[in-house]
Amino acid sequence: MVPSTTMHPCLLVSEILVNIFAEVNERDEEEAARTLAALCRTCRAFREPAMKVLWAHLGTLVPLIRCIPCVKTIKSRGKSQDDLPTLALEREMSSADWEIFLSHSRLVLTCGYYVSRRDKHPVLNSPSHDIGTDILRALSSPPPSSTVFPHLRKIRWTDSRKDSIRFFRLILTPALEFLDMSSITDSVYSVIIPSINDTCPSLRIMHLPKWPFLHLPDMFDKWPNLAYVTSGPLADATIQSLGRLMHLASMDICLHKLHDIKSLVENPGFSTLRRLVLRAYNINLVTAFMRQVKSIHLREVKCYLPHGTTAVGIQEWITILLDRCMPRRLEILEIEDYADAGAEFPDQFTLTPDTLRLLSRFRGLTTLDLATACTYSLDDTTLTQLAICWPSMQSIALGTHWGWRQQSDVTLKGLLSLVRHCPQLESIGLVMNAVTTDITSQRPGGGIRRSKVTSLNVGDSRVGDPLAVAAFLSDVFPRLLSVDAFNHLGGRRRPIPAAKEYEEKWKEVERLLPAFSKVRAQEHLPVGPRRKALLEELYLA
């Protein structure tokens, strides 16, 4: 019987082939381009679907430009690793050159543009060549009635050369949904922004530079579908236009000054916001901004403060936040400052139990990170009361980044209580007083085990007997491998007395953990045929 050479009807459907080739592209990352190129040459039915997948997502413009016959490569004469070969034109682009370029560019959906290796985005491909300005000027003058990237949905642009501005404007199309200009310079940025207003009505995600001050009162009104925004300092009127967006879900902005606080507070917005990241000079700017936010959908709040805060500032911030969102729905709460507490420590920098109990109203928290210059007035009882309110907590860090710089009233019993009431914990940062271990040596954890925890940050915790502490930690955290102690402390931060001694003891705890982990594993071996195999595996490890 002669085998049939007829292709299955399903493989004649372009959409099916695109899905198949897209799967090939995802599963074979290293050889994907070669495989797709081979599929293009296999048969006419495969060519168009394979071309769509091959050119849909480009890390840089380089592969597209290298398809132009009149493009040559000029080797770099520099010795630095960042010096790349440069693409340049041998002659003017002809109609045939344009036809080849446009036949490929029409298939591009997402693209990145990078001037050099220093500008590369970590997620996308590194550039293999620099693009000469003569190419940019040529591509800025396409044939009449032609659109260079008719289906482009996503672009990352880092080129701040003036010769690139005209070409950049050319690729802005009504279909564009994602625009990242976070790395371009102020001079180019101020020229480009007005061009985007009326050209890209479909924009949903926008990343703007974080350094220039932007004063365009009705700028964001041009993009009614905008959902994600990253930006530098904005003028008050620009902030108000941002707050009026009906689909805004995520915002990451810098706060420089808020001149008209009264007007902002009287016109609250951001009703659809789910994620808020604020970078401000101090906590007062953050608190003032939060007064104009009113969203029952808020799930994540992060604040970064280069000039620090005080305990009173944090208390006011938490109080305002409780009023501006649905406390039970907030899942992630983080604040980080980079300033020293100064001579007023610890009087103005102690978070009291009353302040900390405000956090108990955020009952849906999964992540809590308070990396500030403040210390804590916290004991086992208060920590237990808080832990009871956080059944979904997965990651918690209370001041371990900078340390408490004074003796903690939280003991190992407090840590045990925390993990008892927060069964989903995976990451813990807590300053403790582990000098005395008033816990039974038989089963220190009392049967409580959290296998997901593999590392523990103890900041500037005091510790006594490393052997007893290692026994306790290995019982509660059978897969614990590392203990981070005193690693982030320094500069003008006040070290606690005998800091070096405690640091060495915590290192000894960390050295003991692998042996204890093997012992704990043996204690919980299954009964039956697998027991012998697991024992052999433990001894050979």
Side-chain angles (χ1 to χ4, degrees):
M1 181 178 179
V2 179
S4 174
T5 58
T6 304
M7 186 181 294
H8 194 285
C10 288
L11 296 180
L12 298 176
V13 180
S14 178
E15 289 80 2
I16 293 178
L17 288 175
V18 168
N19 289 333
I20 294 173
F21 297 156
E23 188 70 19
V24 171
N25 191 37
E26 290 181 5
R27 292 191 178 188
D28 188 12
E29 294 182 3
E30 294 183 359
E31 297 293 327
R34 292 183 181 181
T35 302
L36 291 170
L39 287 168
C40 291
R41 298 188 293 268
T42 299
C43 70
R44 282 176 291 182
F46 286 179
R47 176 176 171 76
E48 186 67 17
M51 286 283 285
K52 284 183 178 180
V53 177
L54 179 63
W55 291 99
H57 308 287
L58 298 181
T60 73
L61 284 174
V62 170
L64 194 60
I65 292 175
R66 294 186 70 182
C67 290
I68 304 173
C70 62
V71 168
K72 64 179 180 180
T73 301
I74 302 175
K75 293 184 178 181
S76 172
R77 296 181 180 179
K79 296 181 180 180
S80 172
Q81 291 184 350
D82 289 325
D83 294 328
L84 301 174
T86 301
L87 297 179
L89 292 178
E90 289 183 323
R91 53 175 173 77
E92 291 187 4
M93 289 182 64
S94 64
S95 58
D97 296 329
W98 271 109
E99 185 177 349
I100 293 173
F101 179 81
L102 293 175
S103 68
H104 294 84
S105 66
R106 67 181 177 83
L107 302 172
V108 178
L109 301 180
T110 69
C111 187
Y113 181 95
Y114 307 99
V115 181
S116 70
R117 198 181 301 276
R118 285 184 292 269
D119 295 325
K120 72 177 182 179
H121 190 278
V123 177
L124 299 177
N125 300 329
S126 303
S128 57
H129 297 72
D130 286 338
I131 300 174
T133 55
D134 58 337
I135 292 180
L136 291 176
R137 286 194 291 267
L139 294 179
S140 300
S141 302
S145 69
S146 62
T147 304
V148 178
F149 293 100
H151 304 295
L152 190 66
R153 299 289 188 272
K154 180 177 179 179
I155 180 72
R156 283 188 171 95
W157 193 267
T158 67
D159 195 342
S160 295
R161 295 176 295 180
K162 291 184 178 180
D163 293 298
S164 73
I165 295 178
R166 187 178 174 188
F167 179 61
F168 179 67
R169 287 173 172 165
L170 191 68
I171 65 177
L172 297 175
T173 64
L176 199 67
E177 298 178 356
F178 178 105
L179 177 60
D180 186 348
M181 302 187 301
S182 58
S183 298
I184 63 174
T185 60
D186 191 9
S187 58
V188 175
Y189 172 65
S190 57
V191 174
I192 288 177
I193 279 291
S195 306
I196 306 173
N197 283 355
D198 299 316
T199 312
C200 309
S202 302
L203 271 180
R204 294 186 61 254
I205 302 173
M206 174 178 278
H207 298 293
L208 302 174
K210 293 185 178 179
W211 50 89
F213 185 80
L214 186 61
H215 181 68
L216 293 172
D218 301 322
M219 168 180 158
F220 293 105
D221 293 339
K222 303 289 185 178
W223 305 304
N225 299 315
L226 206 59
Y228 302 88
V229 175
T230 302
S231 173
L234 303 175
D236 296 348
T238 311
I239 291 177
Q240 286 184 340
S241 72
L242 190 60
R244 291 193 294 267
L245 294 175
M246 299 302 295
H247 302 285
L248 187 65
S250 175
M251 181 172 66
D252 182 340
I253 66 170
C254 301
L255 300 177
H256 179 62
K257 291 181 180 179
L258 297 176
H259 298 279
D260 191 6
I261 294 294
K262 182 178 179 181
S263 175
L264 291 173
V265 174
E266 289 176 353
N267 299 278
F270 307 98
S271 58
T272 58
L273 205 61
R274 297 175 63 89
R275 177 179 180 268
L276 176 62
V277 180
L278 298 175
R279 307 170 193 276
Y281 183 84
N282 56 41
I283 193 72
N284 295 330
L285 279 174
V286 172
T287 303
F289 182 86
M290 288 302 303
R291 294 182 187 277
Q292 67 165 317
V293 176
K294 187 68 174 178
S295 175
I296 62 173
H297 306 286
L298 206 57
R299 298 289 188 275
E300 179 179 348
V301 175
K302 296 181 179 180
C303 299
Y304 300 95
L305 311 169
H307 291 274
T309 183
T310 62
V312 173
I314 290 181
Q315 182 178 14
E316 185 178 0
W317 170 64
I318 296 173
T319 303
I320 293 296
L321 184 58
L322 285 167
D323 180 59
R324 310 314 289 176
C325 72
M326 290 283 286
R328 289 178 176 270
R329 293 187 177 182
L330 194 70
E331 297 175 359
I332 300 174
L333 182 60
E334 297 181 7
I335 183 170
E336 183 173 344
D337 71 44
Y338 312 99
D340 186 68
E344 297 81 9
F345 182 87
D347 296 339
Q348 298 182 22
F349 294 88
T350 300
L351 295 177
T352 64
D354 290 339
T355 299
L356 295 170
R357 287 191 187 100
L358 292 174
L359 296 170
S360 66
R361 292 181 57 188
F362 299 112
R363 293 179 175 266
L365 280 180
T366 60
T367 301
L368 176 63
D369 188 354
L370 304 181
T372 71
C374 294
T375 186
Y376 294 75
S377 176
L378 183 64
D379 57 19
D380 292 348
T381 302
T382 306
L383 182 61
T384 301
Q385 293 171 350
L386 292 171
I388 292 173
C389 300
W390 298 329
S392 302
M393 187 68 75
Q394 298 174 14
S395 175
I396 184 170
L398 300 179
T400 48
H401 187 79
W402 300 120
W404 290 12
R405 288 143 290 149
Q406 62 181 17
Q407 181 168 313
S408 171
D409 291 327
V410 176
T411 67
L412 292 177
K413 285 185 176 181
L415 175 63
L416 187 61
S417 182
L418 173 67
V419 299
R420 176 187 291 115
H421 296 290
C422 302
Q424 298 184 41
L425 271 175
E426 298 179 9
S427 175
I428 302 173
L430 182 66
V431 176
M432 301 169 289
N433 181 4
V435 173
T436 59
T437 53
D438 185 19
I439 296 177
T440 175
S441 59
Q442 291 297 111
R443 299 293 324 171
I448 298 174
R449 294 167 60 83
R450 297 292 178 260
S451 300
K452 292 182 179 180
V453 179
T454 58
S455 63
L456 177 67
N457 191 332
V458 296
D460 54 357
S461 296
R462 290 166 167 80
V463 61
D465 181 6
L467 189 64
V469 173
F472 169 82
L473 293 178
S474 65
D475 188 38
V476 181
F477 311 115
R479 296 184 181 177
L480 185 65
L481 298 176
S482 65
V483 178
D484 190 359
F486 294 87
N487 284 344
H488 300 289
L489 311 179
R492 293 186 295 160
R493 304 282 177 176
R494 291 177 176 80
I496 63 171
K500 191 65 179 176
E501 177 187 346
Y502 291 129
E503 183 178 3
E504 291 301 321
K505 287 187 176 181
W506 280 115
K507 288 181 179 179
E508 179 63 22
V509 171
E510 188 175 43
R511 283 192 289 267
L512 291 168
L513 283 174
F516 272 104
S517 295
K518 289 185 177 182
V519 174
R520 300 302 182 193
Q522 292 179 39
E523 293 175 349
H524 294 271
L525 283 175
V527 177
R530 294 184 58 220
R531 184 180 183 87
K532 182 178 179 181
L534 288 173
L535 277 171
E536 291 177 351
E537 182 181 341
L538 284 170
Y539 285 121
L540 290 174

